[in-house]
Amino acid sequence: MLHFADSLTFSGRKVVAAWAALPFPALAGSSLPDALSAHQDVPWKLLSSWKEQKVSSCFAQSVVLRGISQEKAPRSPLHSCESPEQVLQHYLHTQFPGAFSTSHVLQQPCHTQPPFPQFFSPLLTRRGFLQDRAQGSSSAGVGSSPVLAALQSCPGLHWLLAGLCRELRPRRWGGSCTAGLEQDDVQEALEELRTLAQCYETGSGADGSEDEADSD
Protein backbone atom coordinates (compact mmCIF):
# COMPACT_ATOMS: atom_id res chain seq x y z
CA MET A 1 0.00 0.00 0.00
CA LEU A 2 2.90 2.37 0.75
CA HIS A 3 4.37 1.94 -2.74
CA PHE A 4 0.91 2.23 -4.28
CA ALA A 5 0.27 5.54 -2.49
CA ASP A 6 3.74 6.76 -3.52
CA SER A 7 2.77 6.30 -7.18
CA LEU A 8 0.04 8.93 -6.72
CA THR A 9 2.09 11.54 -4.87
CA PHE A 10 4.63 14.04 -6.17
CA SER A 11 5.79 17.63 -5.55
CA GLY A 12 6.39 16.91 -1.87
CA ARG A 13 3.00 15.27 -1.24
CA LYS A 14 2.89 12.08 0.81
CA VAL A 15 -0.78 11.55 1.70
CA VAL A 16 -3.80 10.26 -0.25
CA ALA A 17 -7.48 10.17 0.64
CA ALA A 18 -9.64 7.06 0.43
CA TRP A 19 -13.11 7.10 -1.13
CA ALA A 20 -15.66 4.35 -1.73
CA ALA A 21 -19.22 3.71 -2.88
CA LEU A 22 -20.30 0.36 -1.44
CA PRO A 23 -22.63 -0.45 -2.96
CA PHE A 24 -22.11 1.56 -6.10
CA PRO A 25 -25.61 3.00 -6.75
CA ALA A 26 -26.75 1.29 -9.95
CA LEU A 27 -30.14 -0.02 -11.01
CA ALA A 28 -30.47 -3.72 -11.71
CA GLY A 29 -29.70 -4.40 -15.36
CA SER A 30 -28.02 -1.03 -15.98
CA SER A 31 -24.86 -0.83 -18.06
CA LEU A 32 -21.66 0.90 -16.96
CA PRO A 33 -22.32 4.02 -19.11
CA ASP A 34 -25.89 4.18 -17.78
CA ALA A 35 -24.72 3.85 -14.17
CA LEU A 36 -22.05 6.54 -14.49
CA SER A 37 -24.22 8.92 -16.52
CA ALA A 38 -26.86 8.85 -13.78
CA HIS A 39 -24.54 10.75 -11.40
CA GLN A 40 -23.56 14.36 -12.03
CA ASP A 41 -20.99 14.08 -9.24
CA VAL A 42 -18.92 11.03 -8.43
CA PRO A 43 -21.11 9.04 -5.99
CA TRP A 44 -18.36 7.86 -3.65
CA LYS A 45 -18.11 8.85 0.02
CA LEU A 46 -15.02 10.02 1.87
CA LEU A 47 -13.39 7.45 4.16
CA SER A 48 -10.62 9.77 5.35
CA SER A 49 -11.21 12.03 8.34
CA TRP A 50 -11.73 15.59 7.19
CA LYS A 51 -14.98 17.56 7.04
CA GLU A 52 -14.90 18.35 3.31
CA GLN A 53 -17.25 15.86 1.66
CA LYS A 54 -16.97 16.96 -1.98
CA VAL A 55 -13.84 17.25 -4.10
CA SER A 56 -14.08 18.93 -7.50
CA SER A 57 -10.40 18.59 -8.42
CA CYS A 58 -7.44 16.37 -7.68
CA PHE A 59 -3.78 15.97 -8.56
CA ALA A 60 -3.76 12.19 -9.10
CA GLN A 61 -6.00 9.22 -8.41
CA SER A 62 -6.37 5.49 -8.85
CA VAL A 63 -9.93 4.21 -9.22
CA VAL A 64 -11.30 0.67 -9.25
CA LEU A 65 -14.85 -0.25 -10.28
CA ARG A 66 -16.11 -3.80 -10.08
CA GLY A 67 -19.34 -5.69 -10.65
CA ILE A 68 -21.04 -3.59 -13.39
CA SER A 69 -22.07 -4.99 -16.78
CA GLN A 70 -20.33 -3.65 -19.90
CA GLU A 71 -23.44 -3.90 -22.10
CA LYS A 72 -24.19 -0.62 -23.83
CA ALA A 73 -26.02 1.11 -26.67
CA PRO A 74 -24.61 4.17 -28.50
CA ARG A 75 -26.56 7.02 -26.86
CA SER A 76 -23.81 9.24 -25.36
CA PRO A 77 -20.01 9.73 -25.46
CA LEU A 78 -19.73 7.20 -22.64
CA HIS A 79 -21.76 4.67 -24.62
CA SER A 80 -19.48 5.09 -27.62
CA CYS A 81 -16.39 3.91 -25.69
CA GLU A 82 -15.13 0.53 -26.80
CA SER A 83 -14.29 -0.98 -23.40
CA PRO A 84 -15.30 -0.59 -19.74
CA GLU A 85 -11.85 0.82 -18.96
CA GLN A 86 -12.35 3.55 -21.59
CA VAL A 87 -15.80 4.33 -20.17
CA LEU A 88 -14.39 4.86 -16.67
CA GLN A 89 -11.40 6.85 -17.95
CA HIS A 90 -13.68 9.12 -19.99
CA TYR A 91 -15.88 9.68 -16.94
CA LEU A 92 -12.90 10.47 -14.68
CA HIS A 93 -11.41 12.92 -17.18
CA THR A 94 -14.78 14.66 -17.34
CA GLN A 95 -15.09 14.88 -13.56
CA PHE A 96 -11.42 15.72 -12.89
CA PRO A 97 -9.96 17.40 -16.01
CA GLY A 98 -6.19 17.63 -16.01
CA ALA A 99 -5.69 15.09 -13.21
CA PHE A 100 -3.48 12.03 -13.57
CA SER A 101 -5.94 9.12 -13.36
CA THR A 102 -5.49 5.38 -13.51
CA SER A 103 -8.51 3.10 -13.52
CA HIS A 104 -9.34 -0.59 -13.43
CA VAL A 105 -12.65 -2.32 -14.12
CA LEU A 106 -13.28 -5.81 -12.76
CA GLN A 107 -16.32 -7.82 -13.79
CA GLN A 108 -16.57 -9.72 -10.51
CA PRO A 109 -18.40 -7.86 -7.73
CA CYS A 110 -17.29 -7.59 -4.12
CA HIS A 111 -18.54 -10.59 -2.15
CA THR A 112 -20.53 -9.59 0.92
CA GLN A 113 -21.61 -12.86 2.49
CA PRO A 114 -21.26 -13.22 6.31
CA PRO A 115 -19.20 -12.30 8.22
CA PHE A 116 -19.31 -9.16 6.04
CA PRO A 117 -21.52 -6.67 7.97
CA GLN A 118 -25.03 -6.52 6.53
CA PHE A 119 -25.62 -2.76 6.70
CA PHE A 120 -27.29 -2.59 3.28
CA SER A 121 -30.62 -1.00 2.42
CA PRO A 122 -33.56 -3.37 1.84
CA LEU A 123 -33.85 -1.69 -1.58
CA LEU A 124 -30.90 -3.77 -2.78
CA THR A 125 -31.15 -7.04 -4.63
CA ARG A 126 -29.09 -10.08 -3.67
CA ARG A 127 -26.45 -8.85 -6.13
CA GLY A 128 -26.34 -5.36 -4.61
CA PHE A 129 -28.28 -3.45 -7.27
CA LEU A 130 -31.01 -0.90 -6.58
CA GLN A 131 -34.68 -1.75 -7.12
CA ASP A 132 -37.86 0.31 -6.94
CA ARG A 133 -39.22 -1.28 -3.78
CA ALA A 134 -37.90 -3.40 -0.95
CA GLN A 135 -38.43 -7.13 -1.04
CA GLY A 136 -38.73 -8.19 2.57
CA SER A 137 -37.72 -6.30 5.69
CA SER A 138 -34.05 -7.29 5.80
CA SER A 139 -31.03 -6.91 3.55
CA ALA A 140 -29.32 -9.98 5.02
CA GLY A 141 -29.53 -11.69 1.64
CA VAL A 142 -27.08 -9.34 -0.10
CA GLY A 143 -24.31 -11.67 -1.20
CA SER A 144 -22.36 -9.40 -3.53
CA SER A 145 -22.22 -5.75 -4.49
CA PRO A 146 -20.77 -3.49 -7.18
CA VAL A 147 -18.14 -1.17 -5.71
CA LEU A 148 -16.41 2.03 -6.78
CA ALA A 149 -13.29 2.87 -4.76
CA ALA A 150 -10.46 5.36 -5.11
CA LEU A 151 -7.25 6.63 -3.59
CA GLN A 152 -6.88 10.30 -4.41
CA SER A 153 -4.28 13.01 -3.95
CA CYS A 154 -6.44 16.13 -3.77
CA PRO A 155 -6.42 19.73 -2.46
CA GLY A 156 -8.85 18.83 0.33
CA LEU A 157 -6.03 17.04 2.16
CA HIS A 158 -4.69 20.51 2.99
CA TRP A 159 -7.53 20.92 5.50
CA LEU A 160 -6.91 17.50 7.07
CA LEU A 161 -3.21 18.17 7.58
CA ALA A 162 -3.78 21.79 8.68
CA GLY A 163 -6.27 20.47 11.23
CA LEU A 164 -3.57 18.20 12.66
CA CYS A 165 -1.33 21.26 12.97
CA ARG A 166 -4.03 23.03 14.98
CA GLU A 167 -4.37 20.01 17.26
CA LEU A 168 -0.65 20.16 17.97
CA ARG A 169 -0.66 23.76 19.17
CA PRO A 170 2.03 24.51 21.79
CA ARG A 171 -0.21 24.40 24.86
CA ARG A 172 -0.74 20.68 24.23
CA TRP A 173 2.93 19.78 24.21
CA GLY A 174 3.26 19.22 27.94
CA GLY A 175 1.99 15.63 27.84
CA SER A 176 4.22 14.76 24.90
CA CYS A 177 7.35 16.06 26.59
CA THR A 178 6.65 14.17 29.81
CA ALA A 179 6.21 11.03 27.71
CA GLY A 180 9.82 11.28 26.51
CA LEU A 181 9.56 13.60 23.49
CA GLU A 182 11.71 16.70 23.44
CA GLN A 183 10.01 20.00 22.70
CA ASP A 184 12.42 20.62 19.81
CA ASP A 185 11.41 17.28 18.25
CA VAL A 186 7.74 18.18 18.53
CA GLN A 187 8.40 21.58 16.98
CA GLU A 188 10.32 19.98 14.08
CA ALA A 189 7.51 17.47 13.46
CA LEU A 190 4.96 20.29 13.52
CA GLU A 191 6.94 22.28 10.96
CA GLU A 192 7.20 19.23 8.69
CA LEU A 193 3.45 18.69 8.97
CA ARG A 194 2.76 22.34 8.14
CA THR A 195 5.07 22.12 5.11
CA LEU A 196 3.30 18.95 3.97
CA ALA A 197 -0.09 20.68 4.29
CA GLN A 198 1.15 23.54 2.11
CA CYS A 199 1.98 21.06 -0.67
CA TYR A 200 -1.77 20.51 -1.15
CA GLU A 201 -2.67 24.19 -1.52
CA THR A 202 -3.77 25.25 -4.98
CA GLY A 203 -3.56 29.03 -4.53
CA SER A 204 -7.34 29.52 -4.42
CA GLY A 205 -9.11 29.71 -1.09
CA ALA A 206 -5.94 29.05 0.90
CA ASP A 207 -6.53 29.80 4.56
CA GLY A 208 -3.79 30.75 6.98
CA SER A 209 -5.95 30.19 10.04
CA GLU A 210 -3.87 27.19 11.08
CA ASP A 211 -0.86 29.45 11.59
CA GLU A 212 -2.87 31.65 13.92
CA ALA A 213 -4.06 28.61 15.87
CA ASP A 214 -0.52 27.22 16.15
CA SER A 215 0.71 30.47 17.63
CA ASP A 216 -1.68 30.27 20.61
Side-chain angles (χ1 to χ4, degrees):
M1 182 59 71
L2 178 62
H3 295 300
F4 184 48
D6 283 344
S7 69
L8 300 175
T9 54
F10 43 84
S11 300
R13 305 180 186 107
K14 301 179 181 179
V15 180
V16 293
W19 303 78
L22 196 170
F24 176 70
L27 293 172
S30 63
S31 67
L32 177 53
D34 289 334
L36 292 175
S37 298
H39 304 284
Q40 184 175 0
D41 298 320
V42 179
W44 53 41
K45 300 295 183 181
L46 180 67
L47 302 182
S48 302
S49 57
W50 92 78
K51 295 181 179 179
E52 184 71 27
Q53 292 296 311
K54 181 179 178 181
V55 171
S56 58
S57 64
C58 72
F59 308 113
Q61 61 186 344
S62 179
V63 180
V64 176
L65 176 66
R66 58 187 302 173
I68 299 291
S69 170
Q70 58 181 323
E71 296 177 0
K72 60 183 185 295
R75 296 190 301 274
S76 71
L78 285 180
H79 288 86
S80 65
C81 295
E82 296 182 356
S83 68
E85 288 77 12
Q86 290 181 1
V87 172
L88 185 55
Q89 275 287 353
H90 188 285
Y91 179 77
L92 294 175
H93 287 317
T94 301
Q95 295 289 331
F96 304 99
F100 169 74
S101 299
T102 64
S103 61
H104 303 277
V105 177
L106 307 176
Q107 295 304 308
Q108 287 190 344
C110 177
H111 295 293
T112 56
Q113 299 98 333
F116 195 94
Q118 292 295 317
F119 48 67
F120 302 107
S121 165
L123 290 175
L124 295 182
T125 67
R126 290 181 56 84
R127 297 178 57 196
F129 290 97
L130 293 172
Q131 54 190 351
D132 293 334
R133 62 178 60 185
Q135 296 187 3
S137 59
S138 173
S139 60
V142 177
S144 64
S145 173
V147 180
L148 178 67
L151 289 179
Q152 192 178 74
S153 174
C154 55
L157 285 166
H158 165 72
W159 304 109
L160 171 63
L161 299 171
L164 290 177
C165 287
R166 289 191 291 271
E167 290 298 316
L168 291 173
R169 58 176 63 95
R171 64 170 174 264
R172 300 190 179 188
W173 290 359
S176 298
C177 294
T178 57
L181 294 176
E182 297 293 337
Q183 183 169 330
D184 290 344
D185 294 336
V186 176
Q187 177 66 44
E188 181 180 357
L190 183 60
E191 292 298 328
E192 291 178 354
L193 188 59
R194 183 182 293 109
T195 299
L196 180 59
Q198 292 172 349
C199 291
Y200 290 88
E201 291 182 340
T202 59
S204 60
D207 188 351
S209 59
E210 69 272 15
D211 295 328
E212 297 177 2
D214 290 334
S215 63
D216 290 348

